[in-house]
Amino acid sequence: MSAKRGRVFSGARPTGRQHLGNYLGAIKNYIALQDDYDCVYCVVDIHALTTLETTHNLKENTLDMVLDWLAAGMDPKKSIIFIQSHVPEVTELHTYLSMVTPLGKLTDLPTFKDKVRENPNNINYGLVGYPVLMAADILLYKADTVPVGVDQAPHIEFTREIVRSFNYHYSTNVLIEPKMKVTEFPKIIGIDGQLKMSKSLDNHIEMAGTAEETTKRVMLMVTDPARQRRSDPGNPDICNVFAMHKIFSSPQEVSMVNVECRRAGIGCVDCKKLLAHNLNKNLEPFRQRRAALAQNEGAIWDILHDGSKRAKVIAEKTMTEVRDSIGLP
Ligand code: SF4
């Protein structure tokens, strides 16, 4: 890979078919970064094992997610796209990093407390250490840039602390402190009109759904609750349908909805139909590319295996340096 502005690492758990929240909040940014950075994009299947409910259908979910990535524009010629467990050096680095990580720091992280709340019956050792595994992902590939939302900033700061601790302890500079590339991702609200779009909440709209499925989901979207009847004026500023229009509809349509909603000139059903139409128009080229890619499943696994080989070259070099720094015999 040629040197660009630096190396980006980002990983995502294999969650199967992606939804609009995944696309607008992460995938779109992954694609945009490819021209300026050497990008390493990873399906973090080992991370998925820390919570029991995400361990089913790992293979199928990986394939579905990667199909969405590729169809959306992630390019294996520009980026390394691979599966975390195919480069097991990450688990070795995780072990070494865990020796320089105070346990109290891990259990104090807000994300750990969230996970404990979400999984009270499965607070396992891996769950405590997953920020260390995350750090190992970034450091193994010598990524100097990590795209994050504001809420993930503490994890990168935590990774930087581990680097300082490791480098100080072993009097080395082999690990690089990554910097954050903070992006203000739009918060995409689900069809319930309240919570962040999420598959587990079943409030999502899939990127790869058919036009009929997509329209059905859009028609279920919760609107301004003040509009009980067609003749009631509404407030688009508090309506998620309008928020989506701003992303997927033309400026003229956005301005029309903005005006007509307030004076009950357009009903919610027509407003949603217009959104569904525009959404389907936007997604159609993606769906066609995805369908074509899905014809040849073997080619997708080839891309992932090739990505793993390229990732392994970087990983092996880093691990030689790490072992030497530690002084392992
Ligand atoms: Fe929302 Fe559109 Fe209904 Fe206004 S007309 S409340 S923007 S769905």
Side-chain angles (χ1 to χ4, degrees):
M1 290 172 91
S2 61
K4 297 184 186 171
R5 280 164 60 182
R7 180 173 290 151
V8 156
F9 177 91
S10 193
R13 290 175 182 230
T15 49
R17 284 158 68 126
Q18 302 289 281
H19 54 67
L20 294 180
N22 299 132
Y23 176 68
L24 297 164
I27 301 170
K28 202 170 165 216
N29 193 40
Y30 286 172
I31 294 160
L33 289 168
Q34 294 184 115
D35 289 327
D36 292 335
Y37 293 85
D38 287 335
C39 295
V40 181
Y41 293 133
C42 182
V43 180
V44 289
D45 55 343
I46 304 176
H47 281 285
L49 305 180
T50 55
T51 44
L52 285 178
E53 73 277 13
T54 52
T55 60
H56 308 297
N57 309 323
L58 280 175
K59 213 169 165 184
E60 195 185 320
N61 285 339
T62 296
L63 181 69
D64 270 328
M65 185 165 86
V66 173
L67 270 172
D68 282 348
W69 282 2
L70 297 172
M74 227 188 256
D75 183 349
K77 289 197 195 83
K78 292 181 184 169
S79 305
I80 294 180
I81 304 168
F82 76 109
I83 298 175
Q84 186 185 27
S85 65
H86 289 190
V87 186
E89 282 81 355
V90 74
T91 57
E92 183 186 353
L93 183 58
H94 170 245
T95 304
Y96 301 151
L97 296 181
S98 68
M99 310 302 178
V100 295
T101 307
L103 181 61
K105 282 243 172 216
L106 290 167
T107 50
D108 274 351
L109 280 174
T111 40
F112 174 69
K113 291 177 180 160
D114 290 345
K115 296 277 177 204
V116 169
R117 254 193 310 276
E118 288 162 20
N119 306 279
N121 300 321
N122 183 31
I123 306 164
N124 58 62
Y125 176 59
L127 199 58
V128 183
Y130 98 86
V132 186
L133 183 58
M134 234 162 131
D137 281 321
I138 298 165
L139 303 177
L140 185 61
Y141 301 104
K142 299 251 173 127
D144 51 23
T145 307
V146 183
V148 288
V150 185
D151 55 337
Q152 294 155 303
H155 274 294
I156 306 306
E157 192 41 52
F158 181 75
T159 300
R160 292 165 61 86
E161 280 175 31
I162 294 184
V163 171
R164 290 196 286 271
S165 175
F166 182 93
N167 285 351
Y168 176 77
H169 197 80
Y170 295 112
S171 306
T172 179
N173 58 5
V174 67
L175 299 183
I176 299 172
E177 279 189 52
K179 57 183 185 302
M180 294 175 248
K181 187 169 173 52
V182 179
T183 313
E184 275 303 336
F185 300 116
K187 190 175 175 192
I188 305 301
I189 303 297
I191 62 172
D192 54 10
Q194 290 187 348
L195 300 170
K196 196 174 161 185
M197 190 174 281
S198 147
K199 211 170 190 175
S200 54
L201 296 172
D202 192 25
N203 67 356
H204 60 298
I205 298 175
E206 282 184 353
M207 296 167 71
T210 62
E212 293 70 31
E213 286 164 351
T214 305
T215 303
K216 224 169 155 180
R217 296 295 277 177
V218 170
M219 297 315 283
L220 289 173
M221 285 177 79
V222 172
T223 63
D224 175 2
R227 286 203 83 178
Q228 296 291 326
R229 287 163 307 198
R230 168 69 177 78
S231 54
D232 292 333
N235 178 4
D237 296 332
I238 58 160
C239 178
N240 192 28
V241 176
F242 185 59
M244 290 280 197
H245 269 300
K246 287 199 252 183
I247 301 170
F248 294 104
S249 300
S250 69
Q252 293 79 0
E253 287 165 327
V254 171
S255 131
M256 180 277 288
V257 171
N258 195 15
V259 171
E260 296 302 328
C261 171
R262 292 176 203 276
R263 60 179 189 200
I266 183 171
C268 291
V269 171
D270 286 337
C271 188
K272 288 181 190 177
K273 278 186 186 162
L274 178 63
L275 174 63
H277 172 79
N278 291 339
L279 194 49
N280 282 324
K281 203 166 78 186
N282 272 276
L283 287 172
E284 193 44 37
F286 159 82
R287 289 176 186 146
Q288 284 179 11
R289 281 193 299 272
R290 193 186 196 279
L293 286 164
Q295 300 275 320
N296 189 355
E297 201 181 299
I300 308 299
W301 293 113
D302 286 347
I303 287 171
L304 290 169
H305 289 135
D306 177 64
S308 299
K309 272 192 218 155
R310 289 159 65 199
K312 210 170 166 58
V313 172
I314 307 171
E316 281 177 350
K317 187 167 178 291
T318 304
M319 287 317 297
T320 302
E321 293 169 2
V322 165
R323 292 183 206 111
D324 283 352
S325 302
I326 296 173
L328 289 168

